[in-house]
């Protein structure tokens, strides 16, 4: 590289910065072919399409755009990005009820912009400084809500529930399984509602499928019986994984009773509350998290029910030393960098370069306040019950799983139709509701049937929507019989 080229690069970056300065007003107010610009992008109108179609033509164009060889004007790339994102599902659309919808609010988008502009490094105190202090104290605040001992417990932000579950079971393994000879004898106990990330974690940690035992409903007496028999057989009970709000039905395992069994047998109790832990902040329904304070570890996703954008999860562990045993490591690169004797965040998890997820969450909570967050959570639960009431009033509709944690499962099952036909009718209702932009509902298998599942947590859902959406779905059901 010649000297002129070397000198030109900083000047080019300065030119880019100036261009961005002029582009920002356009981007916010008029960009992306929309009069409301990015605000509309981050907060879609109920009339906006829930799903864009990826045609063969748009797929080919997207593949061409994915090759980043030549320099392009920033405005052109922004418009390219907009064309790419036309062909997607808006999971933060107020009428998207599939999976666990994104509850991202405009303030979440603003938090992303502000925090990413500062680009803080939260691996350790040397680089993170005051930002690390905010994460530490924010996590302590959550710890008090869970009910863990403040002096011993620790929390940290992670990418999401799957990573939190992985780290928790790694800590459980390292605490209860000593020696290679015990590894093949370890047992993890789960229910039929357990998230698939647990079985994936078990596989990554070197456990075979038969070392993950499914106990229906995690019935405490059955669990205790199985544990006793496993011990007699020379096996090593390692962990029990309970679910606080399953992604299918909102089901909550009997956490207080399972906690007693775990305590009696000295087994690590992990609560996967990726979805449901937020109920702790609900002023009306916080008792649904009863027993969470007895866990060894808790998973909590802010991007599910704390209104953050994606990539913001948390892990809480009763005893900080459990994570340090599994993840702390010495390095010539780090040990000479002025690090303190006290644990750094990089000692508590896999990541060294940690993005400022917790600062994004702090920003949201600081603006909204935990009381408003709690009211928004309560509203989602109330709206799901309103949907349930309206479905129950319809002929030929059944509620297979009542509204739990803002999730309900219904099924259209008219008389005179066999199971195969009814499954097809429910699939058609889901397809037509999406095509007509009424709602995105999810087809799931529940109790052996194809059913319609709805997760109703988007705070932008209008109070009149349960009536209009249920009536529209009922009309589709009637039309499907003709």
């Amino acid at each position: 590289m010649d000297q002129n080229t070397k000198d030109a690069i900083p000047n080019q970056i300065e030119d880019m910065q100036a261009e961005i300065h002029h582009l920002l007003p356009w981007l916010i107010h008029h960009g992306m072919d929309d009069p409301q610009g990015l605000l509309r992008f981050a907060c879609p109108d109920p009339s906006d399409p829930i799903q864009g179609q990826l045609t063969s033509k748009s797929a080919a164009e997207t593949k061409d755009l994915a090759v980043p060889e030549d320099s392009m004007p920033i405005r052109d790339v922004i418009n390219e990005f907009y064309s790419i994102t036309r062909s997607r599902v808006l999971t933060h659309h107020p009428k998207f009820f599939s999976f666990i919808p994104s509850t991202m609010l405009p303030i979440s988008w603003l938090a992303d912009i502000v925090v990413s502009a500062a680009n803080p490094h939260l691996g350790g105190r040397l680089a993170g400084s005051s930002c690390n202090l905010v994460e530490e104290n924010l996590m302590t605040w959550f710890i008090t809500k869970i009910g863990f001992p403040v002096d011993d417990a620790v929390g940290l932000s992670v990418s999401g529930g799957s990573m939190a579950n992985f780290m928790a079971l790694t800590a459980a393994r390292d605490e209860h399984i000593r020696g290679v000879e015990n590894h093949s004898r370890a047992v993890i106990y789960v229910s039929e509602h357990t998230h698939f990330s647990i079985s994936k974690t078990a596989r990554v940690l070197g456990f075979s499928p038969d070392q993950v035992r499914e106990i229906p409903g995690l019935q405490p007496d059955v669990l205790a019986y199985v544990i006793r028999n496993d011990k007699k057989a020379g096996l090593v009970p390692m962990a029990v994984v309970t679910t606080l709000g399953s992604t299918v039905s909102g089901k909550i395992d009997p956490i207080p009773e399972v906690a007693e069994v775990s305590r009696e047998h000295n087994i690590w109790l992990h609560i996967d509350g990726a979805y449901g832990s937020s109920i702790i902040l609900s002023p009306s329904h916080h008792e649904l998290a009863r027993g969470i304070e007895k866990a060894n570890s808790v998973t909590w996703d802010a991007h599910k029910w704390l209104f953050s954008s994606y990539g913001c999860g948390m892990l809480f562990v009763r005893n900080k030393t459990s994570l340090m045993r599994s993840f702390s490591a010495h390095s010539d690169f780090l040990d000479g960098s002025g690090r303190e004797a006290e644990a750094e965040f990089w000692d508590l998890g896999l990541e060294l370069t940690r993005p400022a997820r917790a600062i994004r969450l702090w920003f949201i909570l600081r603006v909204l306040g935990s009381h408003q967050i709690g009211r928004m959570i309560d509203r989602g639960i109330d709206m799901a019950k309103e949907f349930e009431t309206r479905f129950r009033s319809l002929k030929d509709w059944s509620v297979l799983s009542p509204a739990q944690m803002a999730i309900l499962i219904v099924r259209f099952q008219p008389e005179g139709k066999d199971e195969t036909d009814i499954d097809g009718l429910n699939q058609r209702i889901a397809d037509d509701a999406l095509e007509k932009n009424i709602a995105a509902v999810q087809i799931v298998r529940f109790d052996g049937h194809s059913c319609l599942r709805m997760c109703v947590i988007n705070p932008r859902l209008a109070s009149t929507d349960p009536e209009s959406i249920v009536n529209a779905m009922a009309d589709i059901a009637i039309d499907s019989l003709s």
Side-chain angles (χ1 to χ4, degrees):
M1 179 184 296
D2 60 46
Q3 190 61 43
N4 289 336
T5 304
K6 289 181 181 179
D7 293 339
I9 289 177
N11 295 330
Q12 291 167 353
I13 294 174
E14 288 184 9
D15 291 343
M16 186 185 301
Q17 183 173 345
E19 184 179 358
I20 292 172
H21 177 77
H22 292 295
L23 275 174
L24 281 177
W26 166 81
L27 183 60
I28 293 173
H29 298 293
H30 303 290
M32 298 185 173
D33 299 335
D34 191 289
Q36 296 185 53
L38 273 183
L39 286 175
R40 179 69 168 266
F41 206 56
C43 202
D45 189 82
S47 63
D48 290 342
I50 301 170
Q51 175 175 296
Q53 296 298 323
L54 183 65
T55 65
S56 56
K57 179 182 178 182
S58 62
E61 292 173 347
T62 298
K63 289 180 181 179
D64 291 338
L65 293 177
V67 180
E69 291 182 353
D70 298 325
S71 299
M72 295 278 292
I74 296 174
R75 185 179 293 215
D76 291 351
V77 177
I78 289 171
N79 286 326
E80 286 179 348
F81 173 74
Y82 181 56
S83 70
I84 292 169
T85 54
R86 286 180 189 274
S87 305
R88 64 171 178 139
V89 175
L90 298 183
T91 59
H92 59 309
H93 193 288
K95 296 181 181 179
F96 181 86
F97 306 129
S98 295
F99 314 121
I100 302 296
S102 168
T103 56
M104 185 187 82
L105 299 174
I107 194 64
S108 313
W109 162 75
L110 182 60
D112 289 348
I113 291 177
V114 172
V115 175
S116 63
N119 196 29
H121 184 302
L122 266 68
R125 294 178 184 84
L126 182 64
S129 189
S130 56
C131 290
N132 267 54
L133 191 61
V134 169
E135 176 164 356
E136 290 171 359
N137 284 272
L138 179 62
M139 295 299 112
T140 299
W141 180 81
F142 279 111
I143 285 168
T144 64
K145 297 299 180 182
I146 292 171
F148 279 176
V150 173
D151 291 339
D152 299 325
V154 71
L156 71 161
S157 63
V158 295
S159 59
S162 294
M163 178 56 71
N165 288 338
F166 170 79
M167 291 169 59
L169 286 187
T170 300
R173 178 200 63 185
D174 295 344
E175 183 148 319
H176 289 279
I177 305 302
R178 307 293 171 84
V180 176
E181 69 279 0
N182 287 329
H183 193 277
S184 62
R185 297 190 289 121
V187 184
I188 302 169
Y189 304 91
V190 301
S191 76
E192 70 274 28
H193 310 292
T194 301
H195 194 266
F196 72 90
S197 62
I198 297 298
S199 60
K200 184 187 293 188
T201 286
R203 186 171 70 248
V204 172
L205 292 177
F207 299 115
S208 61
D210 61 0
Q211 289 179 269
V212 181
R213 296 281 179 82
E214 183 178 298
I215 309 294
L218 272 180
Q219 300 175 50
D221 53 343
V222 177
L223 175 64
Y225 175 81
V226 173
I227 290 173
R228 285 194 296 268
N229 283 350
D230 284 346
K231 285 183 173 180
K232 290 177 183 178
L235 301 178
V236 183
M238 183 188 100
V240 181
V241 179
T242 57
T243 301
L244 177 55
S246 76
T247 53
V248 174
S249 65
K251 175 77 174 180
I252 300 173
D253 288 327
I255 293 172
E257 296 78 10
V258 170
E260 288 305 308
V261 175
S262 300
R263 182 193 59 78
E264 178 184 350
H265 293 277
N266 190 31
I267 302 173
W268 186 284
L269 174 62
H270 176 61
I271 296 179
D272 181 1
Y275 173 52
S277 290
S278 295
I279 203 70
I280 292 173
L281 302 182
S282 161
S284 304
H285 305 284
H286 57 85
E287 75 283 352
L288 292 174
R290 188 170 58 90
I292 194 172
E293 73 281 356
K294 298 179 180 180
N296 294 95
S297 54
V298 174
T299 290
W300 190 339
D301 271 356
H303 61 229
K304 286 187 169 67
W305 216 352
L306 287 183
F307 313 102
S308 169
S309 56
Y310 287 131
C312 190
M314 297 177 286
L315 172 65
F316 299 93
V317 178
R318 173 175 291 275
N319 197 314
K320 180 190 300 184
T321 59
S322 298
L323 288 181
M324 292 187 66
R325 179 188 297 113
S326 297
F327 298 107
S328 180
H330 294 291
S331 164
D332 291 341
F333 175 64
L334 296 175
D335 291 347
S337 61
R339 62 181 293 187
E340 301 175 16
E342 189 175 350
E344 300 280 8
F345 278 121
W346 63 56
D347 293 312
L348 303 173
L350 284 172
E351 295 175 299
L352 171 56
T353 304
R354 300 178 66 247
R357 308 180 191 96
I359 306 303
R360 289 160 41 199
L361 178 58
W362 164 83
F363 192 105
I364 296 165
L365 292 171
R366 192 70 172 161
V367 171
L368 295 177
S370 62
H371 298 301
Q372 176 68 358
I373 292 281
R375 288 190 288 268
M376 291 160 71
I377 292 170
D378 277 356
R379 186 176 187 271
I381 292 175
D382 291 344
M383 293 290 274
K385 291 178 179 177
E386 176 70 17
F387 272 99
E388 178 186 341
T389 298
R390 294 193 175 277
F391 275 117
R392 288 190 184 279
S393 70
L394 298 176
K395 183 177 183 296
D396 295 329
W397 285 81
S398 298
V399 176
L400 273 65
S401 180
Q404 301 179 80
M405 301 284 278
I407 298 176
L408 74 153
I409 298 176
V410 300
R411 178 172 160 89
F412 178 60
Q413 40 189 21
E415 295 180 0
K417 298 288 185 180
D418 62 29
E419 286 295 306
T420 301
D421 288 340
I422 293 176
D423 286 351
L425 289 171
N426 281 271
Q427 181 68 62
R428 180 176 172 183
I429 292 168
D431 292 343
D432 286 1
L434 182 59
E435 183 179 347
K436 295 177 180 179
N437 214 48
I438 295 166
V441 297
Q442 185 176 359
I443 287 288
V444 296
R445 295 295 294 180
F446 187 79
D447 287 346
H449 307 293
S450 286
C451 308
L452 299 163
R453 172 196 170 277
M454 305 176 72
C455 181
V456 189
I457 59 175
N458 194 306
R460 297 182 58 240
L461 194 67
S463 298
T464 57
D465 282 338
E467 179 180 9
S468 61
I469 290 172
V470 170
N471 288 343
M473 291 175 65
D475 290 341
I476 293 173
I478 293 172
D479 292 342
S480 68
L481 293 174
S482 59

